[in-house]
Amino acid sequence: MAENGDTAKDFIRAIIEQDLKSGKHKEIVTRFPPEPNGYLHIGHAKSICLNFGIAKDFSGRCHLRFDDTDPSKEETEYIESIKEDVSWLGFDWGKHLYYASDYFEKLYQYAVLLIKDGKAYVDSLSADEIREYRGTLTEPGKDSPHRNRQPEENLDLFQRMRDGEFDDGECVLRAKIDMASPNLNMRDPTLYRIRKLPHPRTDDRWCIYPMYDFAHCLSDAIEGITHSICTLEFEDHRPLYDWILDQLPVPCHPRQIEFARLNLSYTLMSKRKLKNLVDRGSVENWDDPRMPTISGLRRRGYTPEAIRYFCDRIGVAKTNSVVDIALLEHCIRDDLNKRAQRVMAVLKPLKIIIDNYPEDKVELLDAENNPEDPGMGMRKIPFSSVIYIERDDFSENPPPKFFRLAPGREIRLKHAYYIKCKGVEKDPKTGEAVCLYCTYDPETRGGWSADGRKVLGTSHWVSAAHALQAEVRLYNHLFTTPNPADEKDFNTVLNPGSLELFSSCLVEPSLKDAKPGNLYQFLRQGYFYTDQDTAKTGKLTFNRTATLRDTWAKIKKAEGQKNNKPRISS
RNA sequence: UGGGGGAUUGUGUAAUGGUAGCACGGCAGAUUCUGGAUCUGCUUGUGAGGGUUCGAAUCCUUCUCCCCCAGCCA
């Protein structure tokens, strides 16, 4: 799979290349800075691939740094999941694992420096008052009455904040910049707030915590980051990022560059909203296969290769955009087509009795494991007089273009024989077919006919006596609209059919040893991932990763739309 | 009504004054023991107006539309 092959250089790599060429930098250092307040999603994968990818492309390095400055939201569980997801994606931070909390003491000393320089002060206004004093988008703010406290007093107050003498919200440390700035971020932004809360890593050693704007730029500088890549909403923060670094004796001054975050159609890309889906039980958990989280995609059957391939192809730019989820699906199909073992599974079984096949005979037929890769070898599949095919592969009154089994018609059973439908037994109440009576042609063993006659279609099947029971979960888009985030309440556009459960499927016996994580292509149906529940419950359980492209489904859909067209009477 | 960004086909992304290309999707065909895969062809695009130039997606200008910012979140 060609990663970084023919894709053009993005604007960030162009900047970096220039910086290398001009001699501004000799080595490139980037970082991926997640806040451990939720699970990583495919949007983060874009950032991970960008930052680690750049480090790789330019023989530099990329740090994994947790931005853990808000103990009210952050948890160790998230730290662990993030590390797992980043390495599962195939990236290695080596010894460069850092935490903003590692720098709390340094950060504090930098703040002291700012205070001594008269560039920061302790404000005793309440949060509400600070908001009022900040002004609005169109009106300047006004100075806090505490703005002109002298450095000695500020130093004393700041030390006492650290010592725990004040309660949450009683005071904050603010940068002294410009209350009239048209950029609200520059109107004396808060640098430190009091949070008497234990921190996942520093426990109760601190009760004051630095804000993002203060911690992030300094952490970057401390680590020698050359290019600090973040998303568009931080563009307004860049003047503050630069201001702080300009005031302090830092080892270097990284360049912040912003790019557009990823949006994907038919899903959400916000940790807050995804957490909401988990909390209200709309999905099972963060790793529900319907979730766009890395862990959800993993459990859905996505491979790191496919995700990296996807991230490589969506590009990097500053335009807000929504990528068609069909591209993600294309990427996983492209990967799985080459590597997934083919196997036969019947989701909605329809019984077939082959009248002219000896009742007690069993043949072992040869089947290729992957036509795309002969190296994957062959396997044996048992055939006998009673089999099951897919209910959808039979129609008593076949519509046009239905190339499958019907009364009097002949089809091929994949890898087996040609069979012809001679009779239909129906449920007297519903009229639904419950059993078909067929004959087979012994001359077509393996699925070939010496006389060269064509057959309308090919069906997958399982032998009734040998099939294994399995549960199959078919996943569809989580939302019914392409842009659920645009909705006032995204819960109203949840797709009620995002999960279709089939608990009595029949699969071929070679699946007996399927292990969680194993990937298959169920012939003619799609790609499937062996779920961890297989190990827990002992029942074979498969998650559909993606459907195969399905021309027949498309035809049916088109017909349906044609028939549903309102009649216009003239 | 302040500030910061952005606009190329259905979607995403290239082209940095010189033939608007690629991918996905869609459509049509070939091929096929998966209605899969593969192959071929097609697929109404430079937000609008003015200007500079032999030549403009690209430079200048006016306008329009979209996104972000008033957390003691990141």
Side-chain angles (χ1 to χ4, degrees), chain A residues 121 123-125 133 142-148 174 179:
Chain A
Y121 61 96
D123 199 350
S124 306
L125 252 28
Y133 275 71
K142 56 184 182 192
D143 290 359
S144 161
H146 311 291
R147 195 173 199 261
N148 289 318
R174 289 229 260 170
M179 289 306 291

Side-chain angles (χ1 to χ4, degrees), chain A residues 74-341:
Chain A
E74 296 153 5
E75 294 173 27
T76 306
E77 175 197 352
Y78 298 133
I79 293 179
E80 293 313 311
S81 76
I82 289 167
K83 287 198 280 192
E84 183 188 354
D85 289 348
V86 173
S87 46
W88 178 78
L89 276 173
F91 297 103
D92 182 11
W93 53 84
K95 56 185 177 183
H96 301 285
L97 172 63
Y98 304 110
Y99 297 82
S101 54
D102 290 342
Y103 311 134
F104 280 172
E105 184 59 39
K106 277 185 188 167
L107 263 21
Y108 180 86
Q109 295 306 332
Y110 276 129
V112 166
L113 246 34
L114 234 36
I115 293 170
K116 284 181 177 164
D117 254 5
K119 289 165 183 161
Y121 61 96
V122 172
D123 199 350
S124 306
L125 252 28
S126 71
D128 284 345
E129 288 167 325
I130 286 181
R131 189 179 319 118
E132 283 163 26
Y133 275 71
R134 187 157 30 230
T136 68
L137 292 178
T138 52
E139 302 155 24
K142 56 184 182 192
D143 290 359
S144 161
H146 311 291
R147 195 173 199 261
N148 289 318
R149 291 217 258 232
Q150 291 306 294
E152 303 76 48
E153 186 185 0
N154 285 319
L155 244 21
D156 173 62
L157 253 17
F158 191 44
Q159 177 67 49
R160 286 161 60 195
M161 279 170 66
R162 176 179 184 165
D163 292 342
E165 288 187 29
F166 303 105
D167 288 333
D168 285 17
E170 251 188 273
C171 47
V172 292
L173 182 73
R174 289 229 260 170
K176 192 170 178 177
I177 308 180
D178 177 9
M179 289 306 291
S181 172
N183 180 347
L184 302 227
N185 294 122
M186 299 299 270
R187 316 240 265 229
D188 290 11
T190 300
L191 265 23
Y192 270 88
R193 76 289 214 188
I194 299 169
R195 284 266 185 287
K196 294 194 167 168
L197 239 42
H199 182 280
R201 290 183 52 83
T202 60
D203 196 33
D204 59 357
R205 270 176 280 155
W206 293 86
C207 64
I208 57 172
Y209 293 95
M211 298 285 289
Y212 165 85
D213 285 308
F214 190 65
H216 202 90
C217 56
L218 289 168
S219 300
D220 281 347
I222 289 167
E223 292 177 18
I225 302 298
T226 55
H227 300 269
S228 180
I229 301 165
C230 63
T231 44
L232 253 26
E233 67 270 27
F234 291 101
E235 221 153 10
D236 282 344
H237 294 243
R238 187 167 8 108
L240 178 53
Y241 184 103
D242 290 330
W243 184 90
I244 293 171
L245 294 183
D246 284 341
Q247 312 308 312
L248 293 164
V250 288
C252 67
H253 190 136
R255 172 169 175 186
Q256 176 178 305
I257 304 172
E258 310 85 10
F259 71 98
R261 61 166 68 238
L262 169 68
N263 293 294
L264 248 196
S265 59
Y266 296 99
T267 190
L268 287 174
M269 210 63 77
S270 138
K271 271 194 275 187
R272 204 193 93 249
K273 289 174 182 168
L274 294 177
K275 185 171 192 302
N276 182 266
L277 291 175
V278 172
D279 289 345
R280 48 180 292 152
S282 301
V283 295
E284 302 271 333
N285 209 334
W286 285 96
D287 72 345
D288 187 300
R290 291 167 290 184
M291 292 281 271
T293 50
I294 305 297
S295 52
L297 290 167
R298 178 165 59 228
R299 196 168 175 187
R300 176 80 169 254
Y302 275 74
T303 59
E305 289 83 357
I307 294 174
R308 278 187 260 129
Y309 185 44
F310 171 75
C311 290
D312 207 51
R313 298 185 57 166
I314 54 177
V316 180
K318 297 193 70 161
T319 317
N320 286 313
S321 60
V322 182
V323 174
D324 193 338
I325 198 165
L327 179 60
L328 214 212
E329 290 165 355
H330 164 80
C331 291
I332 188 60
R333 284 192 193 107
D334 186 71
D335 188 25
L336 261 24
N337 176 47
K338 290 175 226 144
R339 62 204 286 178
Q341 149 128 28

Side-chain angles (χ1 to χ4, degrees), chain A residues 37 111-112 193 244 278 347 356 360 374 378 381 403 414-415 446 453 466 471 481 490 492 545 569:
Chain A
N37 66 344
V112 166
R193 76 289 214 188
I244 293 171
V278 172
L347 270 38
N356 60 338
D360 48 2
M378 309 282 288
I381 303 177
F403 304 143
K414 181 78 179 173
H415 305 307
R453 74 179 187 273
H466 305 88
E471 173 171 318
T481 48
F490 55 82
T492 61
T545 311
S569 52

Side-chain angles (χ1 to χ4, degrees), chain A residues 501-530:
Chain A
L501 195 68
F502 291 85
S503 48
S504 356
C505 303
L506 296 170
V507 303
E508 64 169 70
S510 73
L511 249 20
K512 173 169 56 77
D513 298 319
K515 296 278 177 300
N518 287 0
L519 288 158
Y520 300 94
Q521 184 196 97
F522 287 3
L523 233 49
R524 304 207 302 136
Q525 307 198 97
Y527 296 100
F528 290 80
Y529 173 87
T530 315

